[in-house]
């Protein structure tokens, strides 16, 4: 239960839990195994105790989803009204429980409450959007000159395995669960082990709707056990994964052996281009927001800041001021702008990149330290960090750090800007800031990324799309494209000639 939250404190009771939820029933893992999730802002506190799902549990979850699909549980496949209601009600329940959900996310991720609250609203928006689409899955039809009819009908892809990351746990989950349900699929969800309670709280709320048992199953547990089974099981028709590019490559290779349908939402190293004619204040604010939101732990974080020669000094000065003003600390405090990073190992990775930047001789403009002292010692706190003069081909320019570290590189003209922007293996998002709209549009067309923002560094409207070029993934989430990811297209051909002996038969049958 949630009581009134005092500033700087959570009011939810700890530890949170995350049981298995299979066929509408909550339960412990086979063998009773559990794992703990610490609070990344205060590692002396256990945030969550979750069931450690086993291979057997993964198979039980898959079997439940398979049964629900194959038996058309509750007329789930045909009754779009029911699917619409479940999704609308989920959005409503999320809004009614927004404060609790935001606290759970803030606690497990270390996300400041000021970011966690809108995160819940964004996830609820996704459920509402797909509720509206559940009843708008139209097919196509075409009549041939001989009167035969081609019907193209859209059907749910079947039982889907959904594997999610921890960084924005509820929007990432909503982007998969909502369109999959709208399409009429049944689900086995494997949440990231850093954020099991966030997933459970959502799935539990969804079981307060009229969702038929077995349609949505939750199996927490190790990716290498539960996740892997979702990838390889023949009873899973499609797998949708969001996570690191390295994990995605492994999954793609495994899924290929069964020709399993997959969608991959992977890593990024987004460039943010600011041209000489840009509005310095607007471009700088957008840059700092995009670099340090959720401590830089965002696939779309604009961590490569590409500045044209003439505006370099002004923008660097302004973003440095804005960055130094970022209040890093307790995520539960209303004034906190940036919390800790997710784990000890992630903190170490971030420190290694900072050391690499210094050893390489790039200019450390601000940050670079682990934060220590009162309020910091028990958490994974790193200063927001900016390096200038970074060689784009170095590790700092090429690799996803997934922390608050930004690389600034200068360019001379439009051609070089586009070349630098594209000179990475990733292609998730990019930003362009120029007062010259035709140029901004030209540059946007030249960048190989799934989303290019002009005069923005954030927007992920549910009506749009999200997904990557190159090694940032395959498939698209959000919008109608996100729904199509969970649909198959079937052709039903009806003869319209009425002939007993049709002209092609003569190729085989004489007389
Ligand atoms: P991750 O380590 O790849 O894990 C993602 C999910 O995969 C987790 O649920 C994990 O389970 C599971 N997993 C791990 N190994 C697996 C295996 N062998 N088979 C099946 N599943 C496996 O990624 P993360 O650290 O959670 O997330 C951060 C990454 O996600 C970043 O690279 C970020 O850019 C990317 N991301 C991309 C998008 C996008 O839209 N493109 C959005 C958000 C994040 P465990 O937690 O149990 O290990």
């Amino acid at each position: 239960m949630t009581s009134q939250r005092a500033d700087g404190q959570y009011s939810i009771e700890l530890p949170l839990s995350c049981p298995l939820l299979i066929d509408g029933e909550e339960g412990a893992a086979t063998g009773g195994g559990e794992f703990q999730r610490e609070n990344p802002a205060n590692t002396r506190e256990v945030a969550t105790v979750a069931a450690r799902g086993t291979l057997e549990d993964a198979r039980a979850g898959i079997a439940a989803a398979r049964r629900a699909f194959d038996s058309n549980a509750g007329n789930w496949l045909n009754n779009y009204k029911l699917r619409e209601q479940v999704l609308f009600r989920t959005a409503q329940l999320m809004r009614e429980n927004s404060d609790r959900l935001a606290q759970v996310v803030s606690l497990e991720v270390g996300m400041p409450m000021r970011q966690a609250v809108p995160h819940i609203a964004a996830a609820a928006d996704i459920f509402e959007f797909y509720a509206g689409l559940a009843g708008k899955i139209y097919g196509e039809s075409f009549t041939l000159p001989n009167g035969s009819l081609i019907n193209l009908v859209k059907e749910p892809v079947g039982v889907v395995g959904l594997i999610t990351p921890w960084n924005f746990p509820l929007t990432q989950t909503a982007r998969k669960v909502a369109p999959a349900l709208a399409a009429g699929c049944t689900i086995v969800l494997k949440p990231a082990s850093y954020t099991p309670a966030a997933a459970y709280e959502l799935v539990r709320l969804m079981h307060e709707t009229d969702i038929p048992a077995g349609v949505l199953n939750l199996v927490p547990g190790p990716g290498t056990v539960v996740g892997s089974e979702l990838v390889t099981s023949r009873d899973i028709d499609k797998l949708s994964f969001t996570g690191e590019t390295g994990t995605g490559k492994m999954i793609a290779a495994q899924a290929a052996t069964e020709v399993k349908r997959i969608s991959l939402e992977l890593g990024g190293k987004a460039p943010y281009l600011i041209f000489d004619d840009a509005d310095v204040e607007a471009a700088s604010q957008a840059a700092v927001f995009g670099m340090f939101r959720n401590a830089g732990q965002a696939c779309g974080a604009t961590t490569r800041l590409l500045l044209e020669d003439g505006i370099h000094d002004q923008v660097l000065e302004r973003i440095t001021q804005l960055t130094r003003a970022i209040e890093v600390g307790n995520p539960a405090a209303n004034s906190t702008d940036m919390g800790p990073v997710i784990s000890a190992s992630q903190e170490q990775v971030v420190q290694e990149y900072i050391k690499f930047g210094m050893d390489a001789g790039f200019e450390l403009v601000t940050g670079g330290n682990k934060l220590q002292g009162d309020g910091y010692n028990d958490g994974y706190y790193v200063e927001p960090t900016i390096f200038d003069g970074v060689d784009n081909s170095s590790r700092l320019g090429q690799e996803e750090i997934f922390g608050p570290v930004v690389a600034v590189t200068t360019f001379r003209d439009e051609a070089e800007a586009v070349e630098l922007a594209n000179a990475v293996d990733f292609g998730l998002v990019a930003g362009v800031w120029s007062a010259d709209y035709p140029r901004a549009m030209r540059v946007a067309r030249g960048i190989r990324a799934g989303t290019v923002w002009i005069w923005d560094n954030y927007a992920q409207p549910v009506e749009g799309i999200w997904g990557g070029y190159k090694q940032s993934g395959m498939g698209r989430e959000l919008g109608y494209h996100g729904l199509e990811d969970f649909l198959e297209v079937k052709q039903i051909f009806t003869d319209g000639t009425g002939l007993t002996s049709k002209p092609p038969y003569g190729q085989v049958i004489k007389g």
Side-chain angles (χ1 to χ4, degrees), residues 163-168 172 175 190-194 221-229 231 241-248 250-251 254 264-268 298-300 400 402 428 466-468 472 477:
I163 302 180
T164 51
W166 49 265
N167 60 331
F168 291 97
Q172 296 303 338
R175 285 174 182 203
K190 196 319 256 176
S193 294
Y194 286 131
T224 47
V225 178
V226 177
S228 214
E229 182 60 14
V231 178
F241 169 82
T242 301
E244 285 178 19
T245 293
T247 319
M250 239 162 41
I251 285 178
Q254 283 179 324
L264 302 173
E265 292 288 342
L266 308 177
C299 50
E400 183 181 48
F402 226 57
L428 187 60
W466 189 260
S472 287
E477 294 193 330

Side-chain angles (χ1 to χ4, degrees), residues 253-287:
Q254 283 179 324
T257 61
E258 298 294 333
V259 199
K260 179 157 296 161
R261 282 140 187 73
I262 52 170
S263 298
L264 302 173
E265 292 288 342
L266 308 177
K269 188 74 182 176
Y272 190 62
L273 290 65
I274 304 181
F275 285 86
D276 281 353
D277 59 0
D279 173 335
V280 171
E281 184 58 28
S284 300
Q285 286 195 21

